Amino acid sequence: MTRKNKLAVLIMILIGAGIFIYEARDLNGAQLIHELLTLDLKWLLVAFLLMFGSWIIETFVVQIFIRSEADDLDFKTALRVPLVEQLFNAITPMASGGQPAQLFALMQSGVEAGRASSVLLMKFVVYQFMVLINFVLTLFIGFDQVSKHFGALALFIVFGFVIHVVVIVGLLMVMYYYKFTKKLVNLVMIPIGWFVKPEKKLAMQSNIDHKIDTFYAESLHLKREKKRVIKACLLTLVQLLFYYAVPYFVLLSLGVSHVSIVEVIVLHVMIVMIVSLFPIPGGTGGAEYSFKTLFATYVASPSKLILGMLLWRFLTYYLGMICGIIAMAFPPKSKRT
């Protein structure tokens, strides 16, 4: 890790600690400690296992896409990819560092850069599709619950949904309407040229054209690898289900048993959609506020609610950072050395 990345990790930990201290400022310290000491550890262990299980399933997805006559990764080496992704998703705005970090991890393992880019592209497309499908399913299953509990946050949810749809539509257009998409981008660049210098516009257009060309070339793999894509889709659905179920078992560990796992999964899907809009690394601030707002209807005790928020945030955010740091500390042996 670079010095800049270490500083980013430290800053995010300090911000997280500051948010927890602020949220707990009016709580009874003795009551908070009592809630901590009386946790039902078996349910907390299940929540831990679900998080680790989601990374293990993502590891299988990496192995499915990387496997060929020329390339293959053993489980230990492949596991490093999602863990490194967790770290750099957590310390970069809008999780923008996850993709480059995975590329670096695969190249460290001896996978050729072009092949690694192709694998990550297929993985990204599958993941985006499955996130969207999960969101649509939760709306069908729990629309009444969403409209009743979300209030003003519903605007963020709709905005997040629109962004995901735009991303998916953009990817599909490049895959199936390549020439039309190129022409459309050129048209969009015309009004942009009214506000930027010609050389800057040219550089922007050249960069966008390169990305579109690269994505189109790599998307051909998706069309040829239907069986792999279907397997990856099914595994990714399970991976997301594991992740979305984590807060349910956190609540059980706190003794909050009067909630349905389906209701909690619906709420967590919505929280993730909201958090994806915040430009701060990890959606810090927005994540905690969303959890506290949405689960307050289920957890009457303020100390349990804040402790639940802390445990959920640790499992779904800080645990990934810790595991990612450990993964970075043990680079794999390259197959090409």
Side-chain angles (χ1 to χ4, degrees), residues 12-13 15-17 288 313-314 316-323:
M12 297 317 301
I13 291 174
I15 291 174
E288 290 84 356
R313 194 63 170 148
F314 174 78
T316 59
Y317 182 64
Y318 295 104
L319 182 61
M321 288 174 62
I322 293 168
C323 292

Side-chain angles (χ1 to χ4, degrees), residues 113-189:
R115 174 70 175 156
S117 297
S118 176
V119 167
L120 294 178
L121 176 66
M122 290 190 283
K123 181 171 170 285
F124 173 77
V125 172
V126 166
Y127 184 81
Q128 290 298 320
F129 267 106
M130 294 305 103
V131 166
L132 189 62
I133 287 173
N134 268 277
F135 181 78
V136 172
L137 285 175
T138 54
L139 279 181
F140 274 113
I141 295 171
F143 179 78
D144 292 338
Q145 179 190 357
V146 170
S147 59
K148 182 170 61 175
H149 291 295
F150 281 80
L153 287 176
L155 184 62
F156 288 101
I157 296 168
V158 171
F159 190 40
F161 175 69
V162 169
I163 289 176
H164 275 81
V165 169
V166 168
V167 169
I168 294 297
V169 169
L171 294 173
L172 289 174
M173 285 183 66
V174 174
M175 289 173 67
Y176 295 101
Y177 302 99
Y178 168 70
K179 292 181 179 179
F180 173 75
T181 304
K182 293 267 284 191
K183 291 179 181 178
L184 187 62
V185 169
N186 290 335
L187 286 174
V188 171
M189 290 303 297

Side-chain angles (χ1 to χ4, degrees), residues 57-126:
I57 292 172
E58 188 175 351
T59 302
F60 294 149
V61 173
V62 172
Q63 287 184 302
I64 285 172
F65 281 137
I66 206 75
R67 191 170 294 123
S68 69
E69 292 181 3
D71 286 307
D72 198 4
L73 288 181
D74 61 81
F75 179 80
K76 181 180 176 181
T77 305
L79 177 60
R80 189 170 177 269
V81 176
L83 295 183
V84 169
E85 176 194 13
Q86 290 296 312
L87 171 60
F88 285 89
N89 276 348
I91 63 175
T92 53
M94 309 293 286
S96 57
Q99 285 291 102
Q102 290 180 87
L103 179 61
F104 177 73
L106 285 173
M107 290 174 64
Q108 274 191 317
S109 303
V111 181
E112 189 269 329
R115 174 70 175 156
S117 297
S118 176
V119 167
L120 294 178
L121 176 66
M122 290 190 283
K123 181 171 170 285
F124 173 77
V125 172
V126 166

Side-chain angles (χ1 to χ4, degrees), residues 189-204:
M189 290 303 297
I190 293 174
I192 292 177
W194 301 340
F195 304 98
V196 299
K197 294 179 179 179
E199 57 270 21
K200 187 172 183 180
K201 178 198 169 187
L202 187 62
M204 289 173 61

